[in-house]
Amino acid sequence: MSDSVFEKPSRRSFLKLGGVAIGGLALAACTGGTSGSSTSSSAAGASSAAGGASSGAAAVTMLGVGNNGQVGTGRSGTSGDTLFICGHQWGPPANFNPLSPTAAWPATGNNNQYIYETPLRWNILTGEIMPGLCKAYTVDGLTITLTMQDGVTFSDGSACTAKDVAGTFNLGKRNEGLSIASFFSDAVSIEATDDKTVVVEVSDVTKNTAQVLRNLCENYVLPMAVFDAIADDALPTEQMDNPIGTGPFPLSKADATQVIMQRNDNYWGQTFYGSLPCFSQLIHPIFNTNDDSQIKFQNGEIDVAQAFFAQIWKMWENGEPVGTFLKDKPYFVPGSMPMLLMNTTKPGLDNPVVRRAIATAIDYAAISDTAMSGYSGEVQPSLIMPSGAEEKYFNASDAAANGWKYDAAAAEKLLTDAGATKGSDGIYVLDGTRLGPWSMITPTGWTDWEAACEIVANSLKAIGIDCSTNFPQQADCTNDIQGGTFDMACWYVSGVNPATPWARFKDVMSQSEMKPVGTTTFANYGRWTNDTVEALLTEASSAADDTAKKAAYDKLDALYRSEVPACPLMYRPDEFFEYNATNFYNFPDEDNAYAPPMLRGAGNTWLFKLQKVAG
Amino acid sequence: MSDTLAPAPDQPKAAGRSALRSLNFTPRFWVSIVLIVLVALFAFVGDMLYPYGSNQRVGSLFDEPTPQHILGTDNFGYDVVALLMASTRNSLYNGLLAGTIATFLGVFIGILAGYIGGWFEEFLMGVTNIVLAIPAIVVLILISVSIQGTNLQFLKGIIGMSLVIGFTSWPWTARSVRAQASSVATREHIDVAKLSGARTFGILLRDVLPYLASYVVMAWVLQVASAILAESTLSMLGLGPSGTASLGVELHWALAFNAVANRAWWAFLPPTAVLTIISFALLYLQSSLDEVFNPRLRRGKKKNLAKAAERRAEAARRLAAEIEAEVAP
């Protein structure tokens, strides 16, 4: 039968050969289609999916599908019952102990709540703090009281009580090297008064309730039965291959190629979230490069990705059922603000006029268009994110009146008005100080930031400031920035979280954490000095209500605009939330905004709402 | 047939051929020269005619080719053709400078070692062997990283890169020049020069170097080609010159922005093609020069070869006839 085609030609075998050839052509056409060049196969996929999913009208009513309105046909077999997610883990997973500095996804701090969960969950879209393992919290002066959800259990069946919540944070007292120990820089104590109630006392020195709530939103609750048995110094080094958490997807298997998690059918939260997830397995394949993950994602082999894919709109223009939360540019909800840090101890950069000229000389549109592939909105001269959770604090009129925007001629005028003259090499000299050569650093491999640095350096050279780029290893870069030995840097400050914009003002302007050059600090890397800012920061952190907070932030932002200790280069999403509706639909998007476009925090809501395309 | 044996009527004319003609340049030579000239025209003349600058943003990230921008834009929104011209120019500068430095150093060290000999030769070749034993790319990466960390703008650019490559890639030239120089050093005309009181450097320059000239020219061509490739390698790894266009830098950004996965072929194919053409042309030039300089490798034109073969066959036939005639009686 199989070799009959290759016998001596007869009319029948000739026809068979023709059939094989045509079949091959059709196959080739199909693979061509799925790899993106033609829309026909995807369109056909969408219509057949419509036929397969209960009724012909289903395709019209399906929400949370690709930005082109399409869904795929679904995957068959086990892979159809699996959510594939990528973009978090890039090397072999080493340890699932969340206290380990080399913890693997999803045990890494403040990440997807699949194995472990947090007491509260934060929503980047609304700025709300939502219930997690605790169903409610009340703030009374400097006391925060949390109430546990009913019937919370760990994956081994044991109960998770208020004692586990308090005990988890108190690990920071047992070992001060743990990152959770920073909880006690703003909190005095955390205790379980009974099995359902946790009471937190906020420090009356910093009075920073927001920062304490942020910690309650970002730290996983751990089983004390397990962690009490570990010696204090061994806490961060304990090897954990079978982690026990409260989450819906306990770890099943992890190796160098993938992390596999299996649904816990006895998950405590099925009533709270409405149901169990519709898939029984969750797999994170581990790719070597971003290229690999992009190809798998656009082919529908990955459902949810958290990675920088340039020009993602080409995917849905090519007919893939790919979607993002916002349907138009910038496609992603802004969540972080990479900063151009300027070292104010360097001659030239110590002058606010020069810093303002630098901020005015940068072609922000070029950064947004090219380095960020259009994923950044218009950058405002402010430390407050102008949209989303922080919008209520943003003073648009003051930013427009006293801020800056890209204008190379205005930047040069700032310099010449201050008395700067251009030297024979085309570089300005101000009060005997040549503006440059300055080196602008960012870690090697942080592609979009590297590109942003190149654009900044070109922008500055264009107006007569000598600046070049350098991309050292991340560790060297961190040392230079924290130690204050850099000239200029592209670096991160607090993204949008429950404690911002306060935390961001602190990161850029804090005087209390000021350290001399050569000594490591974790805020105000540019060593900018000012006498009034500390009082304003305290005013903002201890403000009683939003009106008082807004007044304090207005003053802080005005001070920031007059001094320009750093300037935002672009807005970046806190997480890239990209989905491919090949196998699932009902992803959250702006028309279907039942959950924020997050993977961490309140982003676990959509896990329970996804539906299978193929029923 | 017998007239082929008679003195060729055009022989007197042959003596009058131009010197250039007698060098017997092969088609290989002309092909490589034409390629090199085309690349050089593209790099040095092209941007005077092309309407867009290499530092002028004309579009967005990876815009597709249009009639205005026939190769689209790169990840910074620059016109790829304009960028390619600037990159090729810088890569050629780099290759010429680095290749010349490397050849000069290699010839200088090799000729000294080969001519002077003794412990001095042992010492110089010991150093050369040690340098050869260290993988050049490792040294290049280390030096580039430390240079990029400094504030010496001069060294951070394409010139600094050329200096680094030039000062690290001389050893193999030194070794082979030494071998040739030590053979030349034993010839009689060197003794004559010594007896006539010439100074060592005079002998090296006038009596040794000319005998190596053909080899030095070929080594230089190879050094230029390998310097261009070395710079591209470093730049592609992200260790290239800061703020300067070069073919490797272009490839670096194309890779960094996933040009392959984004199907932006115009971002990575053109620099790859230019690099391939440059190194192919230079290597081809080198091998054609080899034929010019080394008579043993010299190949005539096809019809001459056929004539020569006929001539040899005819001579053999006549010899056979003569022998037969001798044996017959």
Side-chain angles (χ1 to χ4, degrees):
Chain A
M1 184 74 195
S2 60
D3 57 352
S4 63
V5 161
F6 303 105
E7 284 166 16
K8 65 177 179 183
S10 66
R11 193 176 130 84
R12 180 171 293 183
S13 67
F14 178 75
L15 283 178
K16 272 187 190 163
L17 258 178
V20 169
I22 289 166
L25 277 175
L27 271 176
C30 282
T31 49
T34 46
S35 69
S37 55
S38 89
T39 54
S40 61
S41 71
S42 299
S47 60
S48 68
S54 67
S55 76
V60 184
T61 54
M62 274 184 187
L63 285 171
V65 297
N67 283 12
N68 50 10
Q70 296 192 351
V71 288
T73 49
R75 291 184 296 259
S76 58
T78 338
S79 73
D81 197 30
T82 306
L83 181 83
F84 290 92
I85 191 164
C86 77
H88 299 275
Q89 183 73 28
W90 296 95
N95 192 351
F96 288 89
N97 173 2
L99 301 177
S100 158
T102 56
W105 179 91
T108 37
N110 190 25
N111 225 310
N112 309 45
Q113 304 200 5
Y114 299 160
I115 297 180
Y116 300 101
E117 293 173 305
T118 56
L120 298 170
R121 296 175 307 136
W122 192 65
N123 182 327
I124 200 173
L125 214 54
T126 59
E128 265 180 288
I129 291 175
M130 300 172 71
L133 290 177
C134 297
K135 65 179 166 194
Y137 75 97
T138 54
V139 180
D140 178 19
L142 292 178
T143 306
I144 302 171
T145 311
L146 301 140
T147 314
M148 292 291 290
Q149 300 260 21
D150 300 319
V152 180
T153 54
F154 287 106
S155 55
D156 64 351
S158 61
C160 171
T161 68
K163 293 195 177 66
D164 291 297
V165 178
T168 300
F169 286 92
N170 281 320
L171 289 174
K173 287 199 166 158
R174 285 170 51 190
N175 184 332
E176 301 207 331
L178 298 177
S179 66
I180 207 168
S182 68
F183 179 70
F184 293 103
S185 52
D186 296 293
V188 180
S189 68
I190 176 165
E191 266 156 39
T193 52
D194 58 47
D195 273 359
K196 300 283 266 183
T197 317
V198 182
V199 176
V200 186
E201 295 295 337
V202 179
S203 155
D204 63 353
V205 183
T206 58
K207 293 193 180 74
N208 200 344
T209 317
Q211 185 69 25
V212 174
L213 286 171
R214 175 189 178 186
N215 274 307
L216 290 167
C217 288
E218 294 185 355
N219 285 291
Y220 298 132
V221 172
L222 307 176
M224 280 306 108
V226 175
F227 283 83
D228 276 341
I230 302 170
D232 292 356
D233 354 328
L235 283 170
T237 50
E238 179 78 7
Q239 181 65 32
M240 226 168 259
D241 297 325
N242 293 305
I244 293 171
T246 56
F249 280 93
L251 184 71
S252 151
K253 178 172 171 282
D255 57 31
T257 60
Q258 55 188 350
V259 178
I260 305 178
M261 288 166 283
Q262 200 74 36
R263 186 177 61 202
N264 174 8
D265 288 340
N266 300 315
Y267 177 54
W268 69 268
Q270 40 193 309
T271 42
F272 175 66
Y273 288 109
S275 66
L276 279 175
C278 71
F279 45 91
S280 65
Q281 224 181 186
L282 203 156
I283 296 182
H284 184 305
I286 295 165
F287 298 116
N288 287 325
T289 68
N290 209 10
D291 260 355
D292 295 349
S293 61
Q294 176 163 356
I295 289 163
K296 298 277 186 195
F297 175 71
Q298 64 195 18
N299 287 345
E301 292 168 54
I302 297 288
D303 299 300
V304 177
Q306 197 292 116
F308 177 83
F309 298 144
Q311 294 179 308
I312 192 164
W313 59 87
K314 287 202 172 155
M315 294 189 195
W316 61 76
E317 282 172 5
N318 285 332
E320 315 296 347
V322 166
T324 51
F325 189 82
L326 303 178
K327 298 302 172 198
D328 294 306
K329 278 193 177 179
Y331 302 115
F332 301 98
V333 173
S336 80
M337 204 186 267
M339 283 275 167
L340 169 64
L341 302 179
M342 293 174 264
N343 191 337
T344 62
T345 64
K346 301 270 173 175
L349 291 173
D350 56 358
N351 187 339
V353 175
V354 174
R355 298 200 295 266
R356 196 181 173 93
I358 288 174
T360 312
I362 297 169
D363 189 349
Y364 299 101
I367 295 178
S368 169
D369 266 12
T370 59
M372 279 302 295
S373 185
Y375 302 154
S376 166
E378 194 185 337
V379 175
Q380 295 294 331
S382 169
L383 288 182
I384 299 170
M385 190 69 79
S387 60
E390 292 175 19
E391 192 172 354
K392 58 189 173 197
Y393 301 122
F394 178 62
N395 188 335
S397 58
D398 192 54
N402 300 311
W404 55 84
K405 59 179 196 297
Y406 169 53
D407 184 344
E412 280 202 68
K413 189 164 181 300
L414 279 172
L415 293 176
T416 48
D417 285 355
T421 48
K422 215 171 216 180
S424 57
D425 53 357
I427 303 299
Y428 277 104
V429 177
L430 179 58
D431 303 330
T433 310
R434 186 176 182 272
L435 301 184
W438 290 316
S439 174
M440 183 168 179
I441 58 172
T442 213
T444 182
W446 296 21
T447 312
D448 43 339
W449 291 22
E450 287 184 18
C453 287
E454 290 290 343
I455 295 167
V456 172
N458 279 337
S459 289
L460 296 186
K461 270 185 234 157
I463 68 152
I465 293 175
D466 191 358
C467 174
S468 63
T469 56
N470 178 29
F471 308 124
Q473 292 297 313
Q474 187 181 345
D476 297 339
C477 210
T478 311
N479 278 342
D480 274 0
I481 289 170
Q482 294 181 342
T485 51
F486 68 103
D487 299 333
M488 289 197 254
C490 179
W491 198 242
Y492 54 86
V493 293
S494 288
V496 180
N497 66 50
T500 53
W502 183 86
R504 196 173 306 117
F505 280 107
K506 189 210 75 169
D507 284 352
V508 176
M509 301 164 92
S510 165
Q511 302 295 302
S512 61
E513 292 178 55
M514 175 73 83
K515 296 275 164 55
V517 168
T519 313
T520 299
T521 184
F522 298 104
N524 191 0
Y525 303 116
R527 268 73 175 171
W528 170 77
T529 52
N530 185 276
D531 300 332
T532 54
V533 70
E534 272 305 303
L536 292 173
L537 281 171
T538 315
E539 188 185 328
S541 69
S542 54
D545 54 28
D546 273 1
T547 326
K549 274 189 186 155
K550 167 96 165 65
Y553 286 138
D554 274 356
K555 282 186 248 174
L556 275 170
D557 221 18
L559 175 65
Y560 161 75
R561 275 190 279 273
S562 68
E563 283 280 331
V564 207
C567 74
L569 290 177
M570 53 193 159
Y571 299 144
R572 211 170 183 278
D574 180 50
E575 294 164 296
F576 286 97
F577 173 74
E578 298 133 339
Y579 60 84
N580 186 322
T582 291
N583 195 51
F584 300 101
Y585 70 98
N586 202 28
F587 289 95
D589 63 25
E590 58 180 330
D591 306 322
N592 187 31
Y594 65 87
M598 300 171 80
L599 294 145
R600 56 174 71 130
N604 63 345
T605 303
W606 55 257
L607 207 62
F608 304 90
K609 306 286 184 204
L610 293 188
Q611 297 190 26
K612 283 181 191 165
V613 168
Chain B
M1 278 300 140
S2 63
D3 57 7
T4 49
L5 271 180
D10 59 353
Q11 231 170 17
K13 254 197 264 167
R17 277 175 174 177
S18 73
L20 203 64
R21 191 81 196 276
S22 69
L23 277 176
N24 194 18
F25 288 130
T26 57
R28 284 186 184 209
F29 175 83
W30 294 113
V31 168
S32 51
I33 279 291
V34 164
L35 280 177
I36 291 167
V37 168
L38 283 180
V39 169
L41 280 178
F42 176 73
F44 294 99
V45 184
D47 70 331
M48 296 175 199
L49 310 171
Y50 199 68
Y52 306 103
S54 63
N55 239 350
Q56 178 190 356
R57 204 159 75 87
V58 297
S60 188
L61 173 72
F62 292 150
D63 281 355
E64 281 177 28
T66 59
Q68 285 82 40
H69 309 287
I70 49 166
L71 285 178
T73 63
D74 75 338
N75 62 299
F76 289 108
Y78 299 146
D79 184 285
V80 170
V81 177
L83 195 64
L84 203 57
M85 289 170 178
S87 302
T88 311
R89 189 164 61 238
N90 279 336
S91 287
L92 288 178
Y93 280 143
N94 162 76
L96 290 175
L97 184 55
T100 309
I101 292 173
T103 313
F104 179 80
L105 281 178
V107 169
F108 183 73
I109 291 170
I111 212 170
L112 271 185
Y115 176 74
I116 292 173
W119 67 267
F120 190 68
E121 177 180 13
E122 293 298 328
F123 169 73
L124 281 183
M125 283 305 111
V127 172
T128 309
N129 287 340
I130 290 170
V131 178
L132 262 181
I134 306 169
I137 190 73
V138 174
V139 180
L140 279 178
I141 288 175
L142 290 176
I143 299 179
S144 310
V145 168
S146 48
I147 279 188
Q148 292 300 324
T150 66
N151 239 344
L152 304 165
Q153 296 301 309
F154 166 73
L155 281 180
K156 287 173 82 169
I158 198 87
I159 293 179
M161 185 106 267
S162 312
L163 292 180
V164 172
I165 294 172
F167 281 101
T168 49
S169 50
W170 52 267
W172 66 261
T173 311
R175 265 186 72 110
S176 23
V177 166
R178 181 213 63 110
Q180 303 220 3
S182 62
S183 112
V184 172
T186 58
R187 294 193 192 169
E188 287 89 350
H189 75 277
I190 303 289
D191 295 333
V192 175
K194 275 184 186 161
L195 286 173
S196 62
R199 285 158 181 267
T200 307
F201 276 92
I203 295 175
L204 285 179
L205 214 58
R206 287 194 211 93
D207 300 307
V208 181
L209 193 55
Y211 287 83
L212 309 179
S214 64
Y215 180 77
V216 170
V217 170
M218 290 190 297
W220 177 75
V221 172
L222 279 185
Q223 286 283 18
V224 170
S226 68
I228 290 173
L229 288 178
E231 185 272 336
S232 302
T233 311
L234 286 178
S235 299
M236 208 164 120
L237 293 173
L239 302 167
S242 165
T244 318
S246 90
L247 293 169
V249 171
E250 260 191 85
L251 287 173
H252 168 72
W253 286 111
L255 279 186
F257 275 80
N258 298 353
V260 182
N262 284 309
R263 307 184 186 102
W265 55 266
W266 56 89
F268 62 91
L269 277 188
T272 315
V274 173
L275 258 184
T276 314
I277 292 172
I278 293 179
S279 40
F280 168 78
L282 286 174
L283 292 179
Y284 212 47
L285 177 70
Q286 187 269 340
S287 80
S288 73
L289 286 179
D290 210 7
E291 281 180 5
V292 172
F293 292 135
N294 187 346
R296 272 185 229 158
L297 294 176
R298 208 171 279 177
R299 300 175 305 173
K301 289 199 173 119
K302 257 197 181 141
K303 62 175 182 196
N304 292 351
L305 283 177
K307 273 187 196 164
E310 267 172 33
R311 213 158 48 218
R312 279 196 296 276
E314 176 66 18
R317 217 177 306 131
R318 283 180 50 175
L319 191 64
E322 267 174 36
I323 291 168
E324 229 171 85
E326 270 175 38
V327 172

